[in-house]
Amino acid sequence: MQDVFIIGAKGIGNYGGYETFLRKLIETDKNDKEIKYHIACKFNGQGAMDESKLPGAQTIDDHHFIYYNADCFKINILEKLGPAQAIYYDIAAFKECIRQIKEQNIKSPIVYVLACRIGPFVGKYVKQLHQLGGKVYVNPDGHEWMRAKWSKPVQKYWKVSEAGMVKNSDLLVCDSLNIEKYIKTTYAKYNPDTTFIAYGADVTKARLNSNSAKVREWFTKHNVKENNYFLVVGRFVPENNYATMIKEFMRSKVQKDLVLITNVEHNKFYDELKKETHFDTDPRIKFVGTVYDAELLKYIRENAFGYLHGHSVGGTNPSLLEALGTTKLNLLYDVGFNREVGQNSALYWNKDYLNLAHLLEKTVSMAEKKINKLDDLSTKRIINAYSWELIVNRYRKIFLQEKVQ
């Protein structure tokens, strides 16, 4: 039996890439007799784990629950630390993994760390793990240090932390070929051992239909009609190119809405963008808040005329995979990460003046046959390269320390 400890996500199934990954990993691999998962979750603070909302979870006590073949333990965090609590959380979780490994006398454990938050501190814990016969795997995520939301000192910390994680890991699991290339090139002096395993998505249709009460309630509330809107889903941060998408949409003559599913509450960037673009004067542009109901979100994706993806930082983005698996027409910001995923199943735009505006106008007069062809290509792209069964099978191989082809 191979024991795999996973730390770095807030919980299982919460709203977030790593949280969704954990849920899909465990659900897909729930009958595995060769691997035992141990998952760290947050006990308190933002995004704290509440397993009562996770179908199939069995509560043992307030710090412990079982989810299929995963033993899940909750870590108390110090909320007063602010943004630094994420660093505290990962270190506390790593310590708890080592404690459990010692207590249960676990042989050859793997600790899989999601993201590069604790690089300056991780060395001593990796050393302890190695002394116990274990290995540490790291998912470096994307270029966190490039995100505009961070101040210069924080960006510098992220860069130093990334280097520390690369230096101390036994294996780096990159969810993008571009990220894998970046790690190998940037940190060549550490001779990092890397592998590529993408994020996953599914192509099953939403269980809701146009007559479902929650569907009609949402569409009526936001004055949106099926197949009459372009959709954006993602974190409301500058590097996701909201400014370009909104400006270009306002410059276009398309008679459809731009529906933005994102969290803008108490957001300084939102106020700055409104001042810069005056998007509030364009009735087509609709910020509709967040949608945490997975089935409703899937229906909204399926019934968009097109999806706009502006992410410019990071590896394989979950919202892009979900869009390719569900939305007929996908318009992606032309950067290596997005081309790697979308290939010939999507259309691409850049930041040049009127580039996206003209592309939007072109799509609304595009022949249905062409749109259906792109829809078919994007669905096949997900099935052939990003299905959860495929992704989980590759993870099983690295956890069982087999060669990933």
Side-chain angles (χ1 to χ4, degrees):
M1 175 70 73
Q2 176 65 60
D3 289 87
V4 177
F5 291 77
I6 305 180
I7 68 175
K10 295 183 181 77
I12 301 169
N14 297 20
Y15 193 69
Y18 283 141
E19 290 74 18
T20 303
F21 158 70
L22 283 178
R23 182 172 185 166
K24 292 295 185 180
L25 172 70
I26 295 161
E27 286 178 357
T28 308
D29 208 27
K30 63 186 176 186
N31 298 316
D32 198 323
K33 299 289 187 282
E34 295 180 278
I35 297 175
K36 173 76 174 175
Y37 294 103
H38 307 259
I39 311 293
C41 303
K42 285 177 77 172
F43 174 75
N44 57 318
Q46 185 187 21
M49 184 69 215
D50 179 2
E51 71 274 15
S52 68
K53 295 178 181 175
L54 185 64
Q58 298 172 267
T59 300
I60 305 301
D61 58 46
D62 63 351
H63 278 73
H64 188 198
F65 68 96
I66 304 294
Y67 187 54
Y68 297 116
N69 62 342
D71 183 73
C72 308
F73 54 95
K74 297 182 185 178
I75 303 292
N76 290 62
I77 61 157
L78 297 174
E79 295 181 59
K80 65 182 180 183
L81 292 174
Q85 67 180 250
I87 298 167
Y88 174 89
Y89 171 55
D90 283 4
I91 292 172
F94 209 137
K95 284 180 177 176
E96 176 60 18
C97 292
I98 289 170
R99 190 195 69 76
Q100 290 185 26
I101 290 163
K102 287 178 178 175
E103 184 184 75
Q104 299 171 40
N105 195 26
I106 292 170
K107 306 295 182 191
S108 306
I110 292 168
V111 175
Y112 184 28
V113 186
L114 305 174
C116 291
R117 287 181 283 260
I118 54 172
F121 317 100
V122 79
K124 70 184 243 185
Y125 303 109
V126 173
K127 188 177 179 182
Q128 290 174 32
L129 185 65
H130 284 168
Q131 288 169 347
L132 295 166
K135 291 184 176 179
V136 63
Y137 293 0
V138 172
N139 186 311
D141 198 12
H143 297 321
E144 190 66 35
W145 52 272
M146 288 174 64
R147 295 193 189 281
K149 69 175 181 175
W150 300 123
S151 64
K152 285 286 184 272
V154 174
Q155 285 181 333
K156 188 175 180 182
Y157 173 83
W158 275 111
K159 193 77 176 81
V160 169
S161 188
E162 181 181 82
M165 295 302 281
V166 173
K167 180 182 178 181
N168 287 286
S169 69
D170 295 298
L171 179 68
L172 289 134
V173 184
C174 307
D175 68 10
S176 154
L177 291 169
N178 277 270
I179 288 289
E180 184 178 30
K181 183 180 176 184
Y182 159 78
I183 292 288
K184 279 192 169 297
T185 306
T186 308
Y187 301 106
K189 65 182 177 183
Y190 299 136
N191 193 27
D193 189 8
T194 66
T195 191
F196 163 65
I197 305 180
Y199 192 83
D202 69 68
V203 294
T204 56
K205 293 291 180 188
R207 291 193 290 267
L208 300 174
N209 59 52
S210 63
N211 296 318
S212 300
K214 62 174 68 173
V215 167
R216 294 276 50 92
E217 183 185 334
W218 188 89
F219 278 81
T220 302
K221 178 183 177 183
H222 298 294
N223 191 25
V224 177
K225 294 184 175 68
E226 278 96 331
N227 204 44
N228 198 44
Y229 57 95
F230 286 88
L231 179 66
V232 179
V233 181
R235 288 192 298 175
F236 195 64
V237 290
E239 62 267 17
N240 289 352
N241 281 307
Y242 281 93
T244 299
M245 291 189 290
I246 288 170
K247 285 177 185 174
E248 288 292 298
F249 197 91
M250 291 176 73
R251 288 168 186 146
S252 79
K253 297 181 177 67
V254 298
Q255 298 301 303
K256 295 184 186 296
D257 292 328
L258 177 64
V259 173
L260 302 108
I261 295 180
T262 186
N263 186 358
V264 295
E265 293 171 339
H266 315 299
N267 193 301
K268 191 174 84 168
F269 175 51
Y270 177 83
D271 295 329
E272 289 170 354
L273 204 55
K274 184 156 73 169
K275 194 174 175 183
E276 181 187 349
T277 66
H278 303 290
F279 62 73
D280 50 321
T281 63
D282 190 330
R284 298 173 301 168
I285 295 172
K286 296 176 177 176
F287 281 90
V288 297
T290 49
V291 178
Y292 289 113
D293 184 316
E295 289 300 313
L296 177 58
L297 183 56
K298 189 178 280 192
Y299 182 89
I300 294 166
R301 287 183 183 280
E302 287 173 0
N303 289 277
F305 177 80
Y307 179 78
L308 282 177
H309 188 74
H311 290 54
S312 63
V313 174
T316 304
N317 182 264
S319 64
L320 171 55
L321 295 181
E322 287 161 12
L324 291 172
T326 53
T327 311
K328 296 183 285 290
L329 190 60
N330 293 278
L331 285 62
L332 318 183
Y333 176 55
D334 196 358
V335 66
F337 304 112
N338 297 335
R339 281 234 179 225
E340 176 190 320
V341 177
Q343 293 187 352
N344 66 341
S345 73
L347 304 174
Y348 296 89
W349 52 272
N350 59 43
K351 290 186 181 181
D352 291 350
Y353 184 76
L354 292 179
N355 178 271
L356 177 55
H358 289 158
L359 181 60
L360 288 163
E361 291 165 357
K362 182 180 166 186
T363 60
V364 294
S365 58
M366 195 178 280
E368 194 173 345
K369 188 177 176 183
K370 176 74 187 290
I371 293 173
N372 290 339
K373 173 84 185 300
L374 287 166
D375 184 22
D376 186 49
L377 285 170
S378 62
T379 304
K380 284 178 177 168
R381 178 75 183 131
I382 295 301
I383 292 169
N384 294 336
Y386 297 99
S387 75
W388 280 114
E389 289 74 17
L390 182 76
I391 302 310
V392 170
N393 188 47
R394 292 172 75 86
Y395 267 104
R396 284 193 78 254
K397 286 184 173 177
I398 64 160
F399 290 150
L400 294 172
Q401 300 178 63
E402 301 169 6
K403 189 76 176 165
V404 176
Q405 297 301 325

